[in-house]
């Protein structure tokens, strides 16, 4: 999914657009599977009871609430988080109902660093650290392909300063 062109200034082009790494949705998917398994088991346990329809209704409502809270909300949050590098700036946008964002102009970036644990290296993600001229360093966690992003961002910085 491309980043909306109407949010870019004239002459600006998207160089890279990423969502956080897929590892952020592993736990929500496991919660979904667990809720379905436990709900199915409990529904089977109460099926011989006279009050089974009421128990099934209660189980369905509880399962739906758990799935929405612990699966749907994190997946939508993951999908609506954007990390974008353009020819002029780095943009981060996140949020569903209320949005939050930060823009860092390329000319204000002093240094770009990355780090990743052994587990993150296996998964191919990491933390990108951008130090700008005026603020504390900004850390962006769970960036997929963090080494490639670091190299591309460094190249964009070199192109901007040339």
């Amino acid at each position: 999914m491309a980043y909306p062109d109407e949010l870019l200034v004239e002459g600006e082009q998207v160089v890279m657009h990423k969502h956080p790494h897929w590892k952020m949705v592993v736990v929500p998917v496991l919660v979904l599977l667990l809720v379905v398994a436990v709900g199915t088991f409990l529904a089977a346990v109460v099926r011989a009871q006279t009050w089974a329809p009421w128990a099934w209704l209660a189980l369905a409502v509880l399962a739906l609430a758990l799935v929405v809270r612990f699966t749907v909300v994190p997946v939508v949050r993951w999908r609506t988080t954007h990390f974008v590098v353009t020819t002029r700036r780095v943009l981060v946008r996140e949020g569903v109902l209320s949005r939050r964002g930060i823009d860092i102009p390329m000319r204000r970036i002093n240094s770009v660093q990355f780090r990743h644990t052994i587990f993150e290296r296996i998964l191919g993600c990491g933390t990108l650290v951008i130090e700008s001229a005026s603020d504390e360093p900004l850390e962006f966690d769970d960036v997929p392909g963090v080494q490639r992003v670091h190299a591309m961002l460094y190249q964009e910085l070199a192109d901007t300063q040339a």
Side-chain angles (χ1 to χ4, degrees):
M1 178 176 157
Y3 195 71
D5 289 336
E6 67 267 8
L7 299 178
L8 303 176
V9 298
E10 186 178 324
E12 185 177 24
Q13 295 177 346
V14 173
V15 177
M16 182 211 60
H17 174 215
K18 292 188 178 276
H19 294 284
H21 194 265
W22 56 264
K23 77 175 186 176
M24 291 184 66
V25 295
V26 169
V27 171
V29 169
L30 291 176
V31 167
L32 172 67
L33 296 174
L34 182 65
V35 166
V36 169
V38 170
T40 304
F41 173 75
L42 292 176
V45 166
V46 299
R47 90 172 171 256
Q49 304 300 322
T50 58
W51 43 268
W54 293 107
W56 290 339
L57 180 62
L59 284 171
V61 168
L62 181 62
L64 182 64
L66 290 172
V67 166
V68 167
R69 169 62 182 96
F70 295 107
T71 300
V72 174
V73 170
V75 169
V76 170
R77 186 177 299 129
W78 169 79
R79 187 71 181 125
T80 58
T81 299
H82 303 272
F83 181 81
V84 182
V85 177
T86 72
T87 52
R88 295 187 182 185
R89 58 191 166 152
V90 175
L91 301 100
V92 176
R93 298 287 186 268
E94 56 190 13
V96 180
L97 298 177
S98 63
R99 303 276 297 161
R100 186 173 75 114
I102 185 168
D103 296 1
I104 306 168
M106 288 289 185
R107 67 186 186 296
R108 304 230 11 226
I109 295 176
N110 290 339
S111 69
V112 180
Q113 304 170 25
F114 73 92
R115 66 175 177 268
H116 46 198
T117 64
I118 188 75
F119 180 67
E120 289 173 329
R121 288 180 70 186
I122 292 169
L123 292 178
C125 64
T127 300
L128 187 69
V129 182
I130 299 176
E131 190 173 327
S132 64
S134 62
D135 296 326
E136 292 181 18
L138 297 169
E139 295 189 7
F140 303 102
D141 297 323
D142 300 319
V143 176
V146 71
Q147 285 181 289
R148 288 188 308 276
V149 173
H150 173 264
M152 182 184 355
L153 193 52
Y154 186 76
Q155 182 62 45
E156 285 299 316
L157 282 172
D159 292 347
T160 302
Q161 294 171 353

